[in-house]
Amino acid sequence: MTAMVQTVRGPVPVEALGNVLAHEHVFVLSTEIMLNFPDEWGDEDARVTDAVQRLTALKAAGIDTIIDPTAIGLGRYIPRIARIAEQIELHIIAATGIYTFNELPHYYARRSLEYMVEHFVRDITHGVADTGVRAGILKCATDRPGVTRDVEKVLRAVAQAHRRTGVPITTHTHAESQRGLEQQKIFLDEGVDLSRVIIGHSGDTDNLEYLEALLANGSYLGMDRFGIDGYLNTEQRVAVVAELCRRGHADKLVLSHDASCYLDWIPGEVDTSATMPNWHYLHISHDVIPMLQQAGVSDGDIDLMLRQNPARLFAVQGSY
Ligand SMILES: [Zn+2]
């Protein structure tokens, strides 16, 4: 029996995922600001049309699926994503989980860990609110502040929801401070099979010792911020991926940009083309793949990173 993966348009066979970008947002929004200061967001229809155009162009560039790890804390609003998904061919895998670097949102602060688990499991098994859209992946974050009391609570809740549902986990990390290893430790403590986890933003560092330690524990590495030059530029990111491929790790890497059609965190204008010219959905298809080939990465390894590895991640299913 072929494994089915939940996308925003419904379940699809795992083979239909095709080439996958493992960490792209459609929108990153401050929902409470939008409700009260809606001017910058502007016209809903125009934003949706813009997203449809960008994601249509991404499909035309050879990508078939994005994993959208927009969890609670990043302005997730599934009805808008569903409206976009209806107008494109690309598959979008929605996420559940909580995105915080330090404290929990007040809503969750006095509620139990089990309460968070119930929310995540409901998103995965029943669907998000009344949309019928089921989350296909779990998301959590550890940044510079490290595993604070509340971050630990989220990591453990995500791990428990993962074990109850079998959907994979993807994370945000601050790679420079090696946060991925702390995440693996907590997941392991919760009995998680670390091969069901993508340690995200691992491509933000060229510390190969750290990256190989994460790999030795069995997780996938998200080389998922191509175009965010502030940590490493594209040449540096390509060099790290090429070296990891040379060392035989292509079967554990996934690629992405962590881009979005619109995020309201950057003051003034969504257009980052002046400050970060490569930070958009098409950079990997247009620039990074040719650069990887130039650096000696085989087409077989590129196929592993874009197609086979995500398929393997989602093919393993069921609670444990
Ligand atoms: Zn992200």
Side-chain angles (χ1 to χ4, degrees):
M1 204 182 68
T2 181
M4 302 296 282
V5 184
Q6 295 297 330
T7 74
V8 172
R9 274 194 304 269
V12 302
V14 70
E15 307 84 54
L17 297 179
N19 289 324
V20 179
L21 295 184
H23 189 128
E24 307 290 348
H25 302 273
V26 181
F27 299 117
V28 175
L29 302 169
S30 307
T31 307
E32 202 171 7
I33 300 297
M34 285 173 68
L35 291 173
N36 291 283
F37 307 98
D39 289 1
E40 188 183 298
W41 166 255
D43 182 55
E44 172 86 12
D45 289 347
R47 292 288 180 202
V48 167
T49 301
D50 178 62
V52 167
Q53 285 169 357
R54 288 174 192 266
L55 295 168
T56 301
L58 179 59
K59 172 76 181 182
I63 300 298
D64 307 295
T65 301
I66 60 170
I67 299 173
D68 178 354
T70 306
I72 302 301
L74 291 168
R76 187 185 72 171
Y77 183 59
I78 293 298
R80 187 181 293 120
I81 303 301
R83 189 181 159 200
I84 291 163
E86 280 165 20
Q87 301 174 60
I88 62 176
E89 281 181 57
L90 186 98
H91 299 299
I92 302 173
I93 296 173
T96 187
I98 295 174
Y99 182 89
T100 179
F101 290 177
N102 194 339
E103 293 185 341
L104 275 166
H106 288 296
Y107 179 87
Y108 287 107
R110 284 174 187 77
R111 288 178 165 87
S112 67
L113 189 152
E114 179 58 24
Y115 185 91
M116 289 193 285
V117 176
E118 295 291 345
H119 269 189
F120 303 158
V121 170
R122 185 190 151 88
D123 279 354
I124 292 162
T125 58
H126 166 88
V128 176
D130 61 355
T131 62
V133 173
R134 289 162 64 176
I137 198 154
L138 283 148
K139 167 77 177 291
C140 54
T142 317
D143 203 85
R144 224 181 281 260
V147 181
T148 65
R149 193 192 55 180
D150 282 359
V151 165
E152 179 172 350
K153 201 168 160 186
V154 176
L155 295 184
R156 290 189 185 279
V158 160
Q160 290 175 26
H162 160 74
R163 289 198 56 190
R164 271 168 57 178
T165 61
V167 310
I169 299 172
T170 188
T171 75
H172 164 108
T173 62
H174 185 250
E176 193 188 313
S177 51
Q178 310 198 5
R179 296 297 180 218
L181 292 169
E182 296 166 348
Q183 291 179 338
Q184 286 181 324
K185 209 168 149 212
I186 288 170
F187 292 154
L188 212 53
D189 189 52
E190 292 288 340
V192 171
D193 170 356
L194 293 178
S195 75
R196 309 298 320 288
V197 177
I198 301 171
I199 301 295
H201 308 340
S202 296
D204 283 348
T205 181
D206 55 7
N207 182 342
L208 291 167
E209 202 183 326
Y210 165 62
L211 297 177
E212 287 201 307
L214 294 172
L215 287 164
N217 291 330
S219 299
Y220 292 90
L221 301 187
M223 312 308 277
D224 56 13
R225 280 180 150 180
F226 279 96
I228 302 186
D229 295 340
Y231 294 96
L232 293 179
N233 64 34
T234 299
E235 286 72 22
Q236 294 167 312
R237 289 175 189 272
V238 164
V240 173
V241 172
E243 177 58 22
L244 290 173
C245 288
R246 199 187 63 76
R247 297 186 187 188
H249 300 306
D251 63 344
K252 282 292 184 184
L253 309 180
V254 292
L255 306 177
S256 217
H257 310 92
D258 198 8
S260 49
C261 297
Y262 172 79
L263 95 164
D264 65 14
W265 294 3
I266 298 177
E269 188 42 59
V270 62
D271 184 7
T272 55
S273 57
T275 47
M276 287 189 282
N278 295 320
W279 198 33
H280 57 81
Y281 294 145
L282 303 176
H283 183 43
I284 287 174
S285 300
H286 288 175
D287 310 312
V288 172
I289 291 172
M291 288 169 76
L292 288 169
Q293 289 166 328
Q294 198 106 55
V297 177
S298 70
D299 289 347
D301 280 356
I302 290 168
D303 189 61
L304 277 170
M305 295 187 281
L306 284 177
R307 193 178 61 82
Q308 296 179 51
N309 296 344
R312 198 183 320 114
L313 180 72
F314 284 102
V316 183
Q317 301 192 333
S319 59
Y320 65 94

